[in-house]
Amino acid sequence: MSWLSWLLIVRPSSAPSLLLVGMLGSQLGLRVGLQVVQTVMCSQWGTPSSQGLSQDGDVVIGGLFSLNHQHSALNHDYTTLPHYKPCTGFALSPLKYIYAMVFAVEEINLNTALLPGVRLGYRIFDSCARHPWATQGALSMIAGESTSCNLTAHGSISDVYAEEMRVRRVPLSSSQPVPLVIGGASSQTGKILSKILEPISISYLATCPCLSDRRKYPNFFRTIPSDIYQARAMAQLAIHFHWTWIGAVVANNDYGHLAIQVFQEEVKGKGVCVAFIESINRETIVRDARQAALTIQASRAKVILIFCWYTDVEQLFLELARRNITDRQYLASEAWSTSNDLLQNVALSKVASGVVGVAVHSSAISGFESFLRGLHPSHRPHDELLRQFWEQEFGCSPGVTQSDNQSNISTSPPRLHHKGYLPPCIGTESLEGLQHVFTDTSQLRITYNVYLAVYAAAHALHRLLSCPDRDSPSKNNASTCSSPHNVSPLELLKHLNNVNFTTPQGERFYFQGADIPAKYDLVNWQKTPEGSLKLVLLGQVDGFDLHLNQSAIQWSTGSNQVPISVCTKSCPPGTRKARRKGEPVCCFDCIPCGDGEFSNKTGSLHCEQCPLEFWSNDKRTACIPRELDFLSFNETLGITLTTVAVCGAVVTTAVFVVFLCYSHTPMVRANNSELSFLLLVSLKLCFLCSLVFIGRPSVWSCRFQQAAFGISFVLCVSCLQVKTIVVLAAFRSARPGAEALIRWFGPSQQRGSVCLLTCVQIIICATWLSHSPPEPQRDLGFKGSKVTLECAMTSVVGFALVLGYIGLLACICLILAFLARKLPDNFNEAKLITFSMLIFCAVWVAFVPAYVSSPGKYTVAVEIFAILASSYGLLFCIFAPKCFIILLRPERNTKKHLMAK
Ligand SMILES: *[C@@H]1O[C@H](CO)[C@@H](O)[C@H](O)[C@H]1NC(C)=O
Ligand SMILES: *[C@@H]1O[C@H](CO)[C@@H](O)[C@H](O)[C@H]1NC(C)=O
Ligand SMILES: *[C@@H]1O[C@H](CO)[C@@H](O)[C@H](O)[C@H]1NC(C)=O
Ligand SMILES: *[C@@H]1O[C@H](CO)[C@@H](O)[C@H](O)[C@H]1NC(C)=O
């Protein structure tokens, strides 16, 4: 039994509670226990305020409200008796809650569809905001006892107070137990009630998330959302407005710590960071408020979350106003977002204007305002609360009026009242047309929660009592049906768990465990032209959905611009975030993207790679197509190579002209003039074919360049080869049988050989180029802002055959020339050919590795270089000595000189 454990915890040493152990579990135990509790309470905590309201009915529901507050807590100085501090501070909001309950019960009793034939009653009790008194009130309601301490048993009570207590005791004569209590104005009370009561409690104000635990508090319900949801709503606001650097000031208790914990969990991974958390203790509020103000001033966070009770917020705002810190945006929890005390405090308006907050959902209750305005003591003669309200508001005593009216000549002195004697009321005092907090129903909020709680209870009772065969004496009606006079709390609990109805306001209502679906209002504190602040509804939070009219918000800056609260401004496009070591994720550096990477969004985490054909622009904000790169006539390398090639061609032409002019001289004639001319032409072709490699590669230039290169070189080398053979043949003619050879290998055969050798190359080229010709292609493998356009070898075999054939001819030529180099001759051409072929072979052997390893367009340059180098080699080695003799040593250009040994 949980209430036993509570008793033991609260009063572990009190002997009377220990007496209960043997009797628990029975009704008898409960009754006896109650008396003991009452006795203990009366002597320890003083007499509870016995203010309340009650109305009898078939089913009576209980209500616990903190109408009064005992401001000064117990004095523990042991110089005075701690007992009987009167409850003071008659508050109007709880009074409105009480009348909302009364109104709801009356409305339900008038409703023929809900609880037909069952009259609902209520028993309302003031707990004076103290758990023990709430407990006692609840226990007495459940037990059906009237709350009375045996006052006279205690000699310590002053007679005046005893007198007052006796006069003001509410006549709770009915001893009908209540199955359900609406109340627990704080989470603590809610916990205690749920732990000790078997019957059900429905709270309208307890927001502690702990109370959602169904295993611990199975009989607890509430019509106010758990604090988890408001912290979540705030997190959504922060995410929605991109506030990534937020400060927090929280009450140093479960409320504050839990709220900020939920907030942090909710924003985790969403890029929102908490810049600081300042805790505030109620006991050291002045010091804590100063500390919090200093932190707020020092921080770069412009948005501050505050989870505190409104009196603490007041202190904090006063401190901020004193320091002229007015440019911060505050996010309010429901504990202070609708506080009239703060809204109406002009000293705070500079700091507090623009506050955006989460508030308990408010709905209008139709008829409630006229009900409140219609309240009058003359209609409710037994209503102690209304009488006290009348005394406080109108400064007159309504009860006296009545007695005056009844007996005109009254000699009895006016009633004793702790404020003194009050004049009797005239009777015309009325709430009709009075502008008063009590009659203002524009912001019902908690009041509406009370109203909902009554309706939830009524619907549960309706389900429980609307047993189809309640009246018929069927066999098992005892187990399935309850009578209004014997409502089983367990049965009621079952029905309350499944209650699902539409309120008179048209809203769907059901419980999810202990809770109702979270619904909050979003409010904004806006400056009025008069300089004060007013509460403006911005929208709603419905579960996880934020419905918000953003244009209606007036921010603390006074403008419509959403305040910016960040640790570091988000990174511009072209850069990426880089975390700073040891700092929250919201503080970071911006690092420019690398080559070939880009970021086109603000605040990107990564730079993206550009696609293959693209490269990042200078600002790294986008990808642009890569520039085509090839060896062109416009660049230095191209111009140089072109110049060298053209020079080569010109020199070859010049040699050709010289040979033509001196074609009759022995020097030209001796050396097979026809082959020499052919060689010069082929060399010229070699020089010119290098030009085909320069410029933008196209389908045709790719094919033509390789063919031209291959054929002109084969032509060149085969000329040399035939020349060598001729030399060899001529000098071997002295031997027998050589005659025939030299006769057979005449000029036409020589021409034919050249043609034949060249034709082989032509066939190779034709086959290669017709099957898989080189294609102009972009070389994407190489990274950079440029992409090389090159003639890609689709068939390496073809290229290798062309090169290989040239190489083969060159080698044969080299070998033949090597054999012929020692032959006796004054002008032995074979020597020159050997030398030129050595250069030729050296160049092309060096070419292969250079070609393979050159990047991009430089492969082409390497090939051109090889062509030019080998061509120049041939040109100079073979023709330079001849031209030297022809032009500069004409005396040696004689047959005699040539033939001389
Ligand atoms: C407070 O700050 C405002 C603007 O920041 C300035 O105009 C005003 O003079 C300050 N007041 C005091 C008392 O420092
Ligand atoms: C409540 O009733 C309505 C309509 O009858 C239904 O749509 C809704 O799902 C019910 N809700 C729950 C939680 O049972
Ligand atoms: C939003 O607020 C503005 C300014 O108060 C108002 O003009 C507008 O009608 C509101 N929009 C909606 C959808 O409520
Ligand atoms: C950013 O780049 C992505 C991918 O290249 C593209 O889909 C997107 O439209 C770009 N966004 C902007 C704002 O340019």
Side-chain angles (χ1 to χ4, degrees):
M1 252 220 174
S2 53
W3 67 272
L4 166 69
S5 58
W6 176 81
L7 278 179
L8 291 178
I9 289 161
V10 173
R11 296 267 129 229
S13 62
S14 87
S17 13
L18 290 175
L19 285 178
L20 295 176
V21 177
M23 296 185 260
L24 287 173
S26 64
Q27 187 67 12
L28 178 64
L30 181 68
R31 294 285 166 123
V32 175
L34 270 173
Q35 280 162 13
V36 173
V37 170
Q38 281 175 13
T39 314
V40 169
M41 287 235 231
C42 287
S43 61
Q44 296 291 334
W45 288 302
T47 311
S49 141
S50 50
Q51 282 180 308
L53 270 184
S54 72
Q55 178 188 304
D56 279 336
D58 300 325
V59 183
V60 176
I61 56 177
L64 271 179
F65 296 89
S66 299
L67 187 57
N68 286 292
H69 296 271
Q70 195 170 43
H71 276 306
S72 49
L74 292 184
N75 275 332
H76 288 298
D77 57 4
Y78 304 107
T79 57
T80 53
L81 283 171
H83 314 250
Y84 318 127
K85 284 245 163 67
C87 273
T88 53
F90 189 75
L92 293 181
S93 313
L95 190 66
K96 205 152 57 171
Y97 306 161
I98 291 176
Y99 282 109
M101 177 161 173
V102 172
F103 174 76
V105 168
E106 289 185 5
E107 201 176 68
I108 290 162
N109 281 338
L110 288 177
N111 187 339
T112 48
L114 188 58
L115 284 173
V118 178
R119 202 178 135 70
L120 212 55
Y122 52 81
R123 194 167 313 153
I124 294 167
F125 193 75
D126 173 23
S127 66
C128 203
R130 308 192 62 200
H131 318 317
W133 291 4
T135 314
Q136 184 186 3
L139 285 174
S140 68
M141 286 193 279
I142 287 154
E145 302 281 337
S146 75
T147 53
S148 58
C149 287
N150 191 354
L151 295 171
T152 47
H154 296 268
S156 58
I157 307 165
S158 76
D159 286 345
V160 176
Y161 203 79
E163 165 69 15
E164 173 168 345
M165 292 314 290
R166 204 168 292 130
V167 170
R168 304 193 54 192
R169 184 171 308 140
V170 184
L172 296 174
S173 53
S174 146
S175 61
Q176 190 181 344
V178 303
L180 174 148
V181 175
I182 289 172
S186 71
S187 298
Q188 198 58 38
T189 313
K191 280 188 201 174
I192 294 171
L193 291 189
S194 174
K195 281 282 184 200
I196 64 164
L197 301 186
E198 193 178 275
I200 300 145
S201 64
I202 307 180
S203 181
Y204 49 89
L205 202 54
T207 56
C208 176
C210 53
L211 285 164
S212 298
D213 188 343
R214 226 56 192 126
R215 272 176 313 165
K216 267 188 176 161
Y217 309 103
N219 54 351
F220 176 83
F221 294 87
R222 57 180 155 196
T223 53
I224 190 167
S226 154
D227 280 334
I228 286 185
Y229 297 102
Q230 68 159 329
R232 281 193 188 155
M234 296 220 181
Q236 282 177 328
L237 278 179
I239 294 166
H240 178 82
F241 289 116
H242 305 294
W243 293 323
T244 58
W245 195 236
I246 286 188
V249 179
V250 301
N252 193 8
N253 56 25
D254 282 358
Y255 175 73
H257 292 309
L258 227 134
I260 194 66
Q261 190 186 331
V262 171
F263 179 86
Q264 282 179 310
E265 272 166 23
E266 200 63 19
V267 300
K268 195 183 270 173
K270 306 273 171 60
V272 178
C273 306
V274 176
F276 60 83
I277 300 174
E278 280 291 328
S279 310
I280 285 187
N281 287 305
R282 178 112 11 119
E283 292 75 31
T284 53
I285 179 66
V286 175
R287 201 186 62 208
D288 290 355
R290 191 184 317 130
Q291 176 59 39
L294 282 174
T295 311
I296 290 172
Q297 189 171 25
S299 173
R300 268 195 289 168
K302 289 279 181 266
V303 174
I304 316 289
L305 206 63
I306 303 184
F307 285 105
C308 290
W309 187 241
Y310 73 90
T311 51
D312 305 340
V313 177
E314 189 168 12
Q315 281 293 330
L316 177 63
F317 278 8
L318 283 173
E319 187 67 33
L320 290 166
R322 209 168 60 72
R323 292 173 189 270
N324 200 17
I325 306 169
T326 56
D327 61 340
R328 301 298 198 276
Q329 172 68 44
Y330 299 99
L331 280 184
S333 70
E334 42 85 357
W336 64 278
S337 64
T338 54
S339 160
N340 268 325
D341 290 17
L342 293 179
L343 278 162
Q344 283 158 7
N345 193 338
V346 187
L348 306 178
S349 66
K350 238 167 88 184
V351 174
S353 80
V355 163
V356 169
V358 171
V360 174
H361 176 57
S362 170
S363 245
I365 305 176
S366 60
F368 185 50
E369 183 170 2
S370 55
F371 170 79
L372 286 181
R373 290 191 182 282
L375 287 174
H376 198 277
S378 62
H379 304 143
R380 306 174 66 91
H382 297 298
D383 191 336
E384 278 294 304
L385 303 179
L386 195 58
R387 195 181 59 76
Q388 197 177 343
F389 174 62
W390 229 252
E391 286 174 359
Q392 183 173 316
E393 290 305 318
F394 298 109
C396 64
S397 186
V400 179
T401 318
Q402 256 181 1
S403 61
D404 283 354
N405 289 350
Q406 282 160 9
S407 56
N408 272 333
I409 328 137
S410 168
T411 50
S412 63
R415 274 165 35 82
L416 175 70
H417 190 269
H418 60 268
K419 279 183 194 165
Y421 294 97
L422 285 174
C425 290
I426 324 165
T428 55
E429 295 87 357
S430 157
L431 291 172
E432 298 281 357
L434 189 70
Q435 201 59 33
H436 192 272
V437 187
F438 182 63
T439 54
D440 175 21
T441 54
S442 62
Q443 306 273 337
L444 285 176
R445 305 191 190 283
I446 308 289
T447 316
Y448 182 64
N449 289 347
V450 174
Y451 178 83
L452 278 181
V454 177
Y455 261 90
H459 277 274
L461 281 170
H462 180 83
R463 290 170 64 120
L464 176 70
L465 299 178
S466 65
C467 193
D469 47 10
R470 178 158 38 137
D471 299 324
S472 68
S474 94
K475 38 218 162 328
N476 56 354
N477 69 353
S479 62
T480 57
C481 294
S482 305
S483 94
H485 297 285
N486 189 17
V487 172
S488 146
L490 265 179
E491 292 287 317
L492 185 59
L493 181 66
K494 237 186 272 169
H495 288 287
L496 200 57
N497 269 319
N498 298 322
V499 84
N500 181 359
F501 63 94
T502 311
T503 63
Q505 285 69 43
E507 294 180 3
R508 200 80 214 161
F509 183 97
Y510 53 89
F511 285 113
Q512 292 173 325
D515 296 312
I516 55 167
K519 195 167 187 183
Y520 287 101
D521 286 347
L522 289 173
V523 293
N524 185 209
W525 294 13
Q526 301 191 347
K527 268 208 171 93
T528 56
E530 300 87 59
S532 61
L533 295 175
K534 70 171 194 294
L535 205 64
V536 173
L537 187 70
L538 290 181
Q540 281 182 348
V541 184
D542 211 340
F544 278 102
D545 304 327
L546 213 59
H547 305 287
L548 180 67
N549 185 357
Q550 196 167 326
S551 56
I553 305 180
Q554 197 183 76
W555 298 103
S556 59
T557 49
S559 72
N560 285 345
Q561 218 63 40
V562 178
I564 294 168
S565 187
V566 296
C567 179
T568 317
K569 286 225 171 82
S570 55
C571 293
T575 59
R576 68 173 176 86
K577 279 185 192 177
R579 275 202 65 173
R580 290 187 196 151
K581 244 195 177 133
E583 287 191 40
V585 284
C586 304
C587 303
F588 44 79
D589 293 317
C590 296
I591 293 185
C593 291
D595 288 344
E597 295 177 331
F598 77 105
S599 69
N600 59 2
K601 289 192 294 285
T602 307
S604 5
L605 284 176
H606 309 285
C607 294
E608 311 257 350
Q609 278 287 343
C610 281
L612 268 185
E613 290 107 73
F614 293 85
W615 199 250
S616 47
N617 58 1
D618 286 346
K619 290 182 175 169
R620 309 273 185 261
T621 52
C623 288
I624 47 173
R626 287 163 76 170
E627 223 179 286
L628 284 182
D629 190 29
F630 48 84
L631 189 63
S632 77
F633 292 107
N634 301 332
E635 60 189 301
T636 322
L637 188 59
I639 291 169
T640 314
L641 291 175
T642 310
T643 314
V644 173
V646 169
C647 283
V650 168
V651 171
T652 317
T653 313
V655 172
F656 192 91
V657 169
V658 168
F659 267 52
L660 207 58
C661 294
Y662 294 87
S663 57
H664 55 277
T665 61
M667 188 54 146
V668 178
R669 294 180 57 190
N671 280 304
N672 197 340
S673 58
E674 196 183 281
L675 277 181
S676 292
F677 284 120
L678 194 56
L679 183 61
L680 281 172
V681 168
S682 68
L683 271 180
K684 195 169 167 181
L685 283 180
C686 287
F687 280 120
L688 291 181
C689 86
S690 67
L691 295 182
V692 185
F693 286 85
I694 306 176
R696 186 192 170 110
S698 67
V699 174
W700 286 108
S701 73
C702 277
R703 296 179 184 193
F704 183 63
Q705 61 189 205
Q706 300 299 345
F709 156 71
I711 292 167
S712 31
F713 266 77
V714 163
L715 188 60
C716 192
V717 176
S718 52
C719 287
L720 286 176
Q721 199 174 348
V722 171
K723 253 177 180 288
T724 319
I725 293 171
V726 171
V727 171
L728 270 180
F731 284 93
R732 297 273 163 110
S733 56
R735 296 188 187 177
E739 287 295 316
L741 179 69
I742 201 156
R743 209 177 311 119
W744 178 79
F745 200 63
S748 54
Q749 279 78 13
Q750 293 169 16
R751 260 182 261 132
S753 309
V754 170
C755 273
L756 185 72
L757 292 175
T758 310
C759 276
V760 172
Q761 181 74 317
I762 288 174
I763 290 167
I764 292 175
C765 283
T767 318
W768 172 31
L769 295 183
S770 62
H771 275 95
S772 49
E775 303 268 3
Q777 232 176 48
R778 286 169 301 180
D779 179 10
L780 299 172
F782 186 68
K783 302 246 176 288
S785 62
K786 293 178 173 179
V787 59
T788 314
L789 187 64
E790 58 180 17
C791 291
M793 298 294 170
T794 47
S795 159
V796 181
V797 177
F799 187 55
L801 275 180
V802 168
L803 282 187
Y805 185 62
I806 298 173
L808 179 72
L809 291 188
C811 286
I812 294 170
C813 184
L814 180 62
I815 292 166
L816 292 178
F818 188 77
L819 293 177
R821 79 189 189 289
K822 289 273 175 67
L823 292 178
D825 188 354
N826 202 17
F827 189 79
N828 190 355
E829 215 178 7
K831 231 181 243 168
L832 299 176
I833 292 175
T834 313
F835 197 56
S836 67
M837 281 330 284
L838 274 176
I839 292 178
F840 185 92
C841 290
V843 167
W844 285 101
V845 166
F847 159 78
V848 175
Y851 184 84
V852 169
S853 60
S854 292
K857 61 183 179 183
Y858 295 102
T859 49
V860 181
V862 165
E863 194 170 352
I864 295 173
F865 183 80
I867 292 171
L868 293 180
S870 52
S871 305
Y872 271 110
L874 295 182
L875 182 64
F876 281 108
C877 289
I878 295 173
F879 293 101
K882 292 179 183 174
C883 288
F884 176 76
I885 289 173
I886 290 170
L887 295 177
L888 301 178
R889 299 278 187 275
E891 74 279 1
R892 287 165 67 181
N893 192 359
T894 58
K895 195 160 186 169
K896 195 176 109 220
H897 198 267
L898 282 177
M899 297 303 278
K901 286 234 163 161

